[in-house]
Amino acid sequence: MSHRHTTRGERTDRGVTRRRFIQATGATGAVAAFSGYARAQDDTTVVQFASDSLANDNSETLQQALYDAGLSENIELDIIAGAWETGRRQNQYQQWLSAGRNEPDLLMMDSGWTQPFIARKQVQNMSDLLPSDLQETVNSDYQARAVDSVTGPEGDLYGVPMFLGVPTMNYRKDLVEDAGYDTSGWQTEPLSWEEFSQVTSDVLDQNDDIDYGFTFQGKAYEGLACCNFNEWMSSYGGAYFGDLDNLFGPIGDRPITINQDQVVRSLRMVRTFINGSDDPVALDGFAGDIAPEAVLQWSEEPSRQPFTNGNAVMHRNWPYAININGSEDEGFGEDLGTMPIPYGVSPDEAEYEGTGGAAAALGGWNLTVNPNSQKKDAVVAVIEAMSTDSYQAAQFEAVGWLPPKPAVYDSETVRNVPVLGRYIDTIKVSVENAIPRPATAVWPQESEQIAQTVNSVLAQESEPAPALDQLAATVEQIEQSV
């Protein structure tokens, strides 16, 4: 294939041509339309990247950031906007890879379901593809638990973390300070859950026009199993499978610790938040009636809206919510405060290393390679550019994606990003205390059972201790079925 430099204007013209091709052919997806277009070009190498609408909407900015990071201008990235809902995108990837398609070349995979693709050998072994110095960089400089999500059972890399997702606690700094609390230090120093509940209750009592103290995600869905429950449990020193080294296996040969006393206590705490002292399992010393029963049906967006609308004091969510809540247009500007997720016990008191303290669920997305791609040299060049500090800072600036390399958070570019840059110190604490979900090949089955059980306990349909005992038995059956 011959190569020629193309200008941004020419690339824009190609985008128009591509859209016209889709309209003229009636193609229903960018992949089908773009395959014919790629074959018609013989002057550049086009790497097709299955990503999302945020990347697609900022494609020119991200493309230029790649060139600024050293990518040859003979390589062009064509970004396909996949479904926003992560499960739908997982199913689409499964269809493409099972069919043996050679496009898309590069796929952005949720860290929560990369491991099943690795187990099925559906993604490229990066240890056979990437330069050794880049592999060393990933293993030494990237967030360690994120790297675990792309590491195979023999220690080989099957992907490279692209960006992280970690939660923080958003709060109305203006209301909290007006209620008499000094919030200096809150941006990096977590409160205990007990103190958090008392502050929230007090501020709520002092503001008659606000209905909710604390909004979060309690719906029976993946976000409860992977994240909210994981944080409550881990902040008390509990764990799914004991030591965090067991999170990614070996399946069927690891202790199941989901029914231990500290896990039970974490659910009793959340029941207290919802039901107050009237709940028969309420914890002494904790303020109750700070979370509405509606949290049992809320995922991210339904739980965010009351807070953004000025009807809640505290709100747990991902960084995108900071961008909204901290903006001058939609949110509260500098009246928004952030703090790490509160803790149940200190790390020194926790039974399992890595738990206790301000545990924050680790989300995020990885870069994986289609093993059937016909453009692997160009794909490697793109990955190398995406692994530079400059690109990761530019990506954060453009779309708010958290760099997978912790050192990048201290760059001037990151700290000067509007809104999110103002809260980067809280985000750093969450990154340092990130706890991944146990995203093995059996996690989809396990997470469904976990979410249903935890939601049932919070709804007072079952009691914490016996429900978790039954859940542990169910997880054991799933583990042994492999």
Side-chain angles (χ1 to χ4, degrees):
M1 177 178 289
S2 62
H3 300 274
R4 176 180 66 84
H5 170 71
T6 57
T7 66
R8 177 178 294 188
E10 287 174 303
R11 290 192 291 273
T12 302
D13 289 343
R14 288 182 182 178
V16 172
T17 301
R18 180 175 172 229
R19 287 192 294 273
R20 288 173 179 166
F21 178 88
I22 294 171
Q23 292 166 357
T25 60
T28 56
V31 172
F34 190 65
S35 296
Y37 174 75
R39 285 195 295 271
Q41 303 300 324
D42 61 359
D43 56 352
T44 191
T45 300
V46 179
V47 172
Q48 201 172 76
F49 178 31
S51 185
D52 67 9
S53 58
L54 282 175
N56 182 267
D57 291 345
N58 293 276
S59 58
E60 284 195 10
T61 301
L62 295 177
Q63 180 76 73
Q64 187 58 50
L66 289 172
Y67 292 148
D68 293 343
L71 180 68
S72 167
E73 294 201 10
N74 291 322
I75 298 174
E76 182 177 330
L77 197 65
D78 182 68
I79 299 176
I80 301 165
W84 186 255
E85 201 280 312
T86 182
R88 289 179 58 197
R89 208 178 312 174
Q90 179 183 13
N91 293 337
Q92 180 67 81
Y93 291 0
Q94 175 68 15
Q95 292 173 19
W96 286 340
L97 295 172
S98 295
R101 299 182 61 137
N102 56 28
E103 291 181 317
D105 305 285
L106 192 60
L107 303 104
M108 192 173 88
M109 284 193 175
D110 193 320
S111 62
W113 41 257
T114 303
Q115 282 291 327
F117 282 88
I118 294 173
R120 293 191 295 264
K121 307 293 185 185
Q122 288 184 308
V123 291
Q124 174 74 39
N125 187 331
M126 296 286 206
S127 298
D128 300 333
L129 191 68
L130 297 183
S132 58
D133 59 341
L134 180 53
Q135 293 183 50
E136 183 177 344
T137 295
V138 171
N139 283 311
S140 62
D141 296 349
Y142 279 57
Q143 210 277 353
R145 296 299 177 183
V147 176
D148 288 342
S149 74
V150 292
T151 302
E154 303 302 321
D156 289 344
L157 287 176
Y158 284 82
V160 174
M162 185 178 183
F163 64 90
L164 306 179
V166 290
T168 64
M169 190 70 72
N170 292 206
Y171 71 95
R172 287 288 302 278
K173 185 177 180 180
D174 54 339
L175 300 182
V176 170
E177 291 185 344
D178 286 347
Y181 294 93
D182 179 4
T183 64
S184 59
W186 281 19
Q187 195 165 22
T188 56
E189 295 297 325
L191 303 179
S192 70
W193 279 115
E194 185 173 354
E195 183 181 5
F196 168 86
S197 71
Q198 294 165 351
V199 169
T200 303
S201 179
D202 186 21
V203 176
L204 183 62
D205 288 344
Q206 293 189 45
N207 290 272
D208 294 338
D209 57 335
I210 294 179
D211 292 329
Y212 308 137
F214 176 33
T215 63
F216 58 91
Q217 303 81 45
K219 179 180 177 180
Y221 78 124
E222 172 69 12
L224 182 58
C226 78
C227 305
N228 285 260
F229 172 56
N230 197 5
E231 289 162 11
W232 305 329
M233 169 177 66
S234 299
S235 77
Y236 272 92
Y240 278 118
F241 299 103
D243 293 335
L244 298 190
D245 288 343
N246 296 325
L247 282 172
F248 295 97
I251 299 170
D253 191 25
R254 50 186 177 169
I256 296 169
T257 54
I258 197 173
N259 57 338
Q260 292 184 337
D261 289 345
Q262 60 269 47
V263 185
V264 173
R265 184 172 179 81
S266 73
L267 290 187
R268 291 179 60 197
M269 175 189 75
V270 183
R271 287 252 301 241
T272 306
F273 291 167
I274 298 170
N275 305 305
S277 58
D278 290 340
D279 194 303
V281 300
L283 292 179
D284 292 336
F286 285 74
D289 299 312
I290 60 173
E293 188 177 345
V295 295
L296 302 178
Q297 302 300 323
W298 282 350
S299 56
E300 280 78 2
E301 276 301 273
S303 69
R304 178 191 64 79
Q305 290 163 4
F307 182 87
T308 304
N309 292 336
N311 203 25
V313 179
M314 305 279 187
H315 173 59
R316 179 262 180 217
N317 213 325
W318 305 98
Y320 86 96
I322 297 177
N323 253 340
I324 297 171
N325 295 325
S327 71
E328 296 292 343
D329 296 332
E330 298 180 76
F332 308 103
E334 296 194 17
D335 283 338
L336 175 74
T338 62
M339 62 174 124
I341 302 299
Y343 68 92
V345 300
S346 69
D348 292 341
E349 299 173 288
E351 181 175 352
Y352 303 113
E353 186 176 356
T355 65
L362 177 63
W365 291 73
N366 301 318
L367 290 166
T368 62
V369 176
N370 181 346
N372 303 308
S373 170
Q374 303 300 303
K375 306 168 187 173
K376 289 181 182 175
D377 287 346
V379 167
V380 169
V382 170
I383 295 173
E384 287 183 298
M386 287 183 171
S387 300
T388 62
D389 291 5
S390 68
Y391 176 81
Q392 292 185 12
Q395 181 178 258
F396 176 74
E397 184 175 23
V399 295
W401 287 345
L402 303 182
K405 288 195 282 188
V408 179
Y409 292 88
D410 290 322
S411 73
E412 186 176 349
T413 300
V414 166
R415 289 192 171 272
N416 287 332
V417 168
V419 185
L420 269 178
R422 193 164 66 230
Y423 302 100
I424 205 65
D425 287 331
T426 303
I427 291 170
K428 281 181 61 179
V429 173
S430 291
V431 169
E432 292 164 1
N433 292 278
I435 304 278
R437 73 200 79 176
T440 62
V442 296
W443 173 246
Q445 296 171 265
E446 293 173 342
S447 67
E448 182 178 359
Q449 296 298 320
I450 291 164
Q452 290 176 356
T453 298
V454 172
N455 181 267
S456 173
V457 169
L458 298 185
Q460 297 181 300
E461 294 170 356
S462 55
E463 295 309 301
L468 290 177
D469 284 340
Q470 180 58 52
L471 178 60
T474 300
V475 170
E476 175 67 24
Q477 290 176 349
I478 295 171
E479 290 274 306
Q480 298 303 323
S481 67
V482 178

